[in-house]
Amino acid sequence: MKILVVNAGSSSLKYQLIDMEGEKELAKGLVERIGIEGSRLKHSAGEKSTVVEEPIPDHEAAAQLMLKILQDKEYGVIRSTDEIGAVGHRVLHGGNKFTASMIVNQEVKDAIRECFPLGPLHNPANLMGIEACEKVMKGTPQVAVFDTAFHQTMPPKAYMYGVPKMYEEKLHVRRYGFHGTSHRYVSHRVCEFLGIRPEGKRIIIAHLGNGSSLSAVKDGKCQDTSMGLTPLEGLLMGTRCGSLDPAVVQFIANNPLNDDGTPMGHPISVDEVLTMMNKKSGLLGISGKSSDCRDVEQLAAEGSEDAKLAMDMLIYGIKKYIGSYAAAMGGVDIICFTAGIGENNDVLRARVMEGMEFLGAKLDPEKNRGKGEKIISADDSKVTVCVIPTNEEIMIARDTLDLVTTGKVRDN
Ligand code: ADP
């Protein structure tokens, strides 16, 4: 069966068509600037690629264009949309309703809508993507795969915040965690790769990309994760500040600065502070130049003290999470690095693992060099340290296939 994987943002729609026989990617693409001037579709199928520039007013038009190019004589890979067995959608927030992926029906759509306040940027866009595909592919099953689902096994002591309990009970204020599809894929894949069962294993996963999160996984189940009610909590990220004293929000709201460092002279709203914390902070805010780890490293190499500090803060933060999750699980057997930075940046991996011998983790500098799925710890390291490239699309496609063929998702 061919499965279409869709990740809809507020002005974008990413897709990948996968042939589940052999789990082979047939084509992928990105529709950008939906509803904005300069909208376009970038599509590739094997060696061939093309860009279509035309007005794309809404997500339905984007979905239509995606189907058109997938059936195109030159760049297409299917003859008819009937060949698409089902569509799997990435959905950011499932609240505490969804512990696994679901076939989309009215109830599921209502629940995604109920989570709008928890994922105000992503959930409305995700739902638009689902509804657009429903319209242009009538009768094709749609599946929702939630970024929060894998983390639903966290115990209350890990997901509760220390504010009055009624906020969790009445308003569902708690830690949810994100990148769940990635953490789930990597935690299972590493066991498959090492030829072991997840039972009895304590795994720490460092998903380090533009957005970054760590998770503690015991017996294949998530015990804790660094992102919270929203993706803002946890590590320093590309443009997000990560965890801080909540009183900082009030202080900055009362004493805001302009981009040039001069006082604004009037208070700003909490929403404005949070926008700054989400979009102008992290590597970007500290380096003052870029949110991209490669740029920040380059700047540091050229002598920028701010860029060096940004990298030091990121690495220190990752170390602290590894230490705290190892303590929380009573030890650690496997540490996995994944996503853009985790998979590609061997210098950062070496710096994170520096001095971790006390935990039983010792890196092999030779094995650590370069990229790809591999063990990077020394032969005599008690903890196995690995690089496992993430593949959220495959996980979404597998869940989608399972739900439409057997009615339930497999364990991994
Ligand atoms: P997203 O969270 O948007 O999916 P990615 O997982 O692609 O992000 O990660 C983006 C980050 O990964 C950037 O900071 C970038 O510098 C880093 N990165 C991506 N590719 C490489 C590479 N080949 N070498 C070093 N760093 C990389």
Side-chain angles (χ1 to χ4, degrees), residues 259-309:
D259 286 346
D260 65 2
T262 55
M264 278 188 197
H266 57 81
I268 59 172
S269 68
V270 167
D271 281 9
E272 286 171 292
V273 179
L274 286 188
T275 301
M276 180 270 275
M277 290 181 164
N278 269 301
K279 302 217 151 112
K280 293 188 174 180
S281 303
L283 292 178
L284 173 66
I286 300 295
S287 73
K289 291 271 162 47
S290 174
S291 62
D292 192 296
C293 189
R294 280 171 290 199
D295 297 345
V296 179
E297 273 189 327
Q298 180 64 32
L299 288 161
E302 287 162 13
S304 160
E305 290 300 326
D306 290 342
K308 268 188 220 160
L309 174 63

Side-chain angles (χ1 to χ4, degrees), residues 14 90 179 207-212 237-238 240 283 290-297 314 338-346 371 390 392:
K14 233 185 193 172
R90 181 180 184 187
H179 296 137
H207 174 112
L208 310 172
N210 266 324
S212 299
M237 307 179 208
R240 295 189 189 115
L283 292 178
S290 174
S291 62
D292 192 296
C293 189
R294 280 171 290 199
D295 297 345
V296 179
E297 273 189 327
L314 172 62
T338 194
I341 300 172
E343 289 168 28
N344 296 299
N345 193 329
D346 47 12
K371 1 181 152 179
T390 193
E392 292 166 272

Side-chain angles (χ1 to χ4, degrees), residues 8 61 69-71 146 202 205 215 219 237 249-250 261 273 297 314-315 322 327 381:
I69 198 85
L70 283 169
Q71 298 170 86
F146 301 94
R202 298 155 302 184
I205 295 157
S215 68
D219 301 324
M237 307 179 208
V249 176
Q250 182 196 36
V273 179
E297 273 189 327
L314 172 62
I315 289 158
I322 291 176
S381 177

Side-chain angles (χ1 to χ4, degrees), residues 74-323:
E74 189 169 359
Y75 299 102
V77 287
I78 50 174
R79 246 171 275 135
S80 139
T81 54
D82 294 347
E83 289 180 42
I84 301 172
V87 187
H89 295 266
R90 181 180 184 187
V91 179
L92 181 84
H93 222 303
N96 54 13
K97 281 223 164 74
F98 300 112
T99 54
S101 305
M102 301 286 292
I103 293 198
V104 173
N105 55 24
Q106 194 53 47
E107 208 181 312
V108 171
K109 284 198 279 184
D110 290 345
I112 295 172
R113 196 168 283 117
E114 271 170 41
C115 292
F116 278 6
L118 297 174
L121 297 179
H122 296 83
N123 269 40
N126 300 151
L127 188 59
M128 272 198 282
I130 291 174
E131 289 181 333
C133 289
E134 280 179 335
K135 277 196 190 138
V136 301
M137 279 177 270
K138 288 204 171 61
T140 306
Q142 314 282 324
V143 166
V145 178
F146 301 94
D147 237 24
T148 48
F150 180 65
H151 304 303
Q152 281 291 306
T153 50
M154 280 187 288
K157 65 181 176 189
Y159 72 67
M160 288 297 289
Y161 291 130
V163 293
K165 198 157 177 285
M166 59 189 172
Y167 284 96
E168 192 271 328
E169 289 160 354
K170 295 200 184 299
L171 299 175
H172 314 299
V173 174
R174 48 160 284 183
R175 174 185 312 287
Y176 290 96
F178 299 88
H179 296 137
T181 310
S182 173
H183 287 286
R184 178 167 156 231
Y185 173 82
V186 173
S187 61
H188 285 88
R189 174 64 202 151
V190 72
C191 292
E192 199 175 66
F193 175 63
L194 297 174
I196 55 170
R197 299 279 314 154
E199 287 78 21
K201 291 288 176 286
R202 298 155 302 184
I203 308 175
I204 296 174
I205 295 157
H207 174 112
L208 310 172
N210 266 324
S212 299
S213 66
L214 278 94
S215 68
V217 178
K218 198 173 181 178
D219 301 324
K221 306 258 184 291
C222 178
Q223 301 295 310
D224 204 348
T225 192
S226 60
M227 283 180 165
L229 174 77
T230 77
L232 187 54
E233 195 181 345
L235 281 182
L236 184 92
M237 307 179 208
T239 61
R240 295 189 189 115
C241 60
S243 294
L244 43 67
D245 178 349
V248 173
V249 176
Q250 182 196 36
F251 189 90
I252 292 180
N254 289 333
N255 303 281
L257 300 176
N258 292 306
D259 286 346
D260 65 2
T262 55
M264 278 188 197
H266 57 81
I268 59 172
S269 68
V270 167
D271 281 9
E272 286 171 292
V273 179
L274 286 188
T275 301
M276 180 270 275
M277 290 181 164
N278 269 301
K279 302 217 151 112
K280 293 188 174 180
S281 303
L283 292 178
L284 173 66
I286 300 295
S287 73
K289 291 271 162 47
S290 174
S291 62
D292 192 296
C293 189
R294 280 171 290 199
D295 297 345
V296 179
E297 273 189 327
Q298 180 64 32
L299 288 161
E302 287 162 13
S304 160
E305 290 300 326
D306 290 342
K308 268 188 220 160
L309 174 63
M311 290 309 298
D312 287 350
M313 288 170 69
L314 172 62
I315 289 158
Y316 183 62
I318 304 167
K319 275 177 171 289
K320 285 211 293 190
Y321 269 107
I322 291 176

